[in-house]
């Protein structure tokens, strides 16, 4: 009961904070450009990597229903935890959640995939959404308020390595590492990793703002390495890597 009250209080605080620190519709900002998303999925070994930009395409018609899944306007003093991530999952595809729920969207897409599979329906597009959200997890400006600094610099930072990344996959690969997600409590382990990477991204965004600068290419590749590493771990668990696909065929 105490834990539930704390989560309800946190949600109320975040919504109120969003009203004061999040001018405009953050969901209209994209979060890494298309080829950067494709590159993350290719490095992670997603056998349908070419679908990874689809979530941004969906924004054209789905608007805030999709857009709010791509960011979390953290007002700055909220600690990102596994519990916060799991709490956000209930707001997946919520068009009224102006503060955003990127972390929960990753969990939500995973749940939708499993639900669709259990119904005997085609479920692959949910993996494409999941891959996209995990890539957005490493974009620093998707973890801080959409203030003037964020608005002014967002597009430039989305495209930091866009002009070269598909021809420089090694730039991401050299920053990947092993992430182990336990099968017994996979969702909570995933939530903990989401929180860890989100905290790293948020810290970089705060440093960029303090120094009044854009992300460097070197920083971008390190960030993308975090996303590719987590995506690879999730895909391995789901049997969706290039290697498992070829074996199955």
């Amino acid at each position: 009961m105490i834990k539930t009250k704390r989560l309800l209080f946190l949600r109320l605080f975040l919504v109120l904070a969003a009203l004061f620190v999040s001018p405009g519709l953050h969901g209209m900002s994209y979060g890494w450009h298309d080829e950067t998303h494709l590159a993350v999925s290719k490095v992670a070994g997603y056998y349908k990597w070419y679908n990874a930009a689809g979530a941004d395409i969906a924004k054209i018609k789905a608007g805030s229903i999709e857009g709010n899944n791509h960011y979390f306007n953290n007002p700055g003093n909220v600690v990102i935890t596994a519990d916060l991530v799991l709490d956000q999952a209930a707001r997946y595809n919520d068009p009224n959640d102006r503060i955003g729920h990127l972390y929960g969207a990753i969990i939500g897409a995973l749940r939708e995939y499993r639900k669709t599979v259990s119904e005997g329906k085609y479920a692959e597009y949910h993996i494409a959404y999941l891959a996209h959200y995990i890539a957005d997890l490493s974009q620093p400006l998707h973890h801080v308020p959409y203030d003037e600094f964020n608005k002014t610099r967002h597009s430039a930072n989305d495209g930091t390595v866009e002009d070269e990344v598909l021809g420089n996959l090694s730039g991401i690969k050299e920053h990947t590492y092993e992430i182990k997600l336990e099968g017994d409590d996979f969702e909570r382990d995933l939530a903990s990793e989401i929180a860890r990477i989100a905290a790293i991204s948020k810290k970089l965004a705060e440093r960029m703002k303090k120094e009044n600068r854009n992300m460097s290419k070197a920083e971008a590749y390190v960030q993308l390495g975090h996303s590719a590493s987590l995506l690879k771990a999730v895909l391995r668990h789901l049997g969706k890597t290039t290697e498992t696909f070829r074996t199955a065929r």
Side-chain angles (χ1 to χ4, degrees):
M1 180 63 72
I2 294 175
K3 185 175 181 180
T4 301
K5 287 183 178 179
R6 285 177 179 172
L7 288 174
L8 288 173
F9 176 78
L10 176 61
R11 286 189 63 182
L12 177 60
F13 169 75
L14 293 176
V15 170
L16 290 174
L19 295 176
F20 292 99
V21 302
S22 303
L25 181 60
H26 191 317
M28 294 308 292
S29 296
Y30 283 75
W32 302 126
H33 294 324
D34 290 358
E35 293 188 13
T36 307
H37 275 283
L38 299 183
V40 169
S41 284
K42 289 191 79 170
V43 170
Y46 180 31
Y47 72 94
K48 292 196 174 183
W49 56 269
Y50 45 80
N51 283 335
D56 277 344
I57 297 171
K59 290 179 186 177
I60 295 173
K61 291 190 176 182
S64 59
I65 292 175
E66 177 54 35
N68 295 344
N69 293 327
H70 295 243
Y71 64 93
F72 173 51
N73 283 350
N74 193 324
N77 55 353
V78 175
V79 178
I80 306 167
T81 65
D83 284 336
L84 184 149
V85 172
L86 293 170
D87 180 56
Q88 282 191 6
R91 308 202 297 278
Y92 183 42
N93 292 333
D94 183 350
N96 299 311
D97 182 28
R98 290 179 57 195
I99 199 167
H101 41 261
L102 166 61
Y103 317 146
I106 297 171
I107 303 295
L110 176 65
R111 290 176 180 175
E112 285 295 312
Y113 168 75
R114 287 176 165 164
K115 176 177 178 289
T116 306
V117 168
S118 71
E119 295 171 347
K121 299 176 181 178
Y122 186 75
E124 290 301 318
Y125 294 137
H126 295 296
I127 300 298
Y129 278 101
L130 182 147
H132 188 100
Y133 303 145
I134 289 179
D136 276 347
L137 190 61
S138 62
Q139 216 291 22
L141 297 183
H142 277 236
H143 305 269
V144 291
Y146 196 50
D147 56 15
E148 285 305 312
F149 174 84
N150 198 336
K151 284 183 180 179
T152 302
R153 296 182 179 271
H154 203 106
S155 182
N157 282 278
D158 283 346
T160 302
V161 295
E162 179 74 5
D163 63 338
E164 65 180 44
V165 69
L166 276 179
N168 186 29
L169 297 182
S170 62
I172 300 176
K173 287 179 181 177
E174 66 179 285
H175 295 293
T176 58
Y177 51 91
E178 184 76 10
I179 293 178
K180 294 184 178 180
L181 300 172
E182 300 297 332
D184 292 342
D185 200 355
F186 176 79
E187 194 170 277
R188 177 158 285 277
D189 276 2
L190 175 57
S192 295
E193 288 296 324
I194 291 168
R196 179 183 65 82
I197 295 172
I200 292 171
S201 300
K202 177 175 175 289
K203 185 175 181 179
L204 175 56
E206 291 168 344
R207 186 162 67 248
M208 289 161 53
K209 183 175 180 179
K210 182 179 180 180
E211 298 170 1
N212 192 31
R213 65 175 179 85
N214 290 331
M215 178 173 32
S216 69
K217 287 192 175 185
E219 288 171 327
Y221 280 114
V222 171
Q223 288 300 113
L224 293 168
H226 290 303
S227 285
S229 299
L230 182 58
L231 179 56
K232 184 175 182 178
V234 174
L235 293 171
R236 185 189 303 119
H237 176 79
L238 297 175
K240 296 294 178 181
T241 63
T242 305
E243 291 77 12
T244 55
F245 178 68
R246 287 173 178 167
T247 302
R249 287 171 68 90

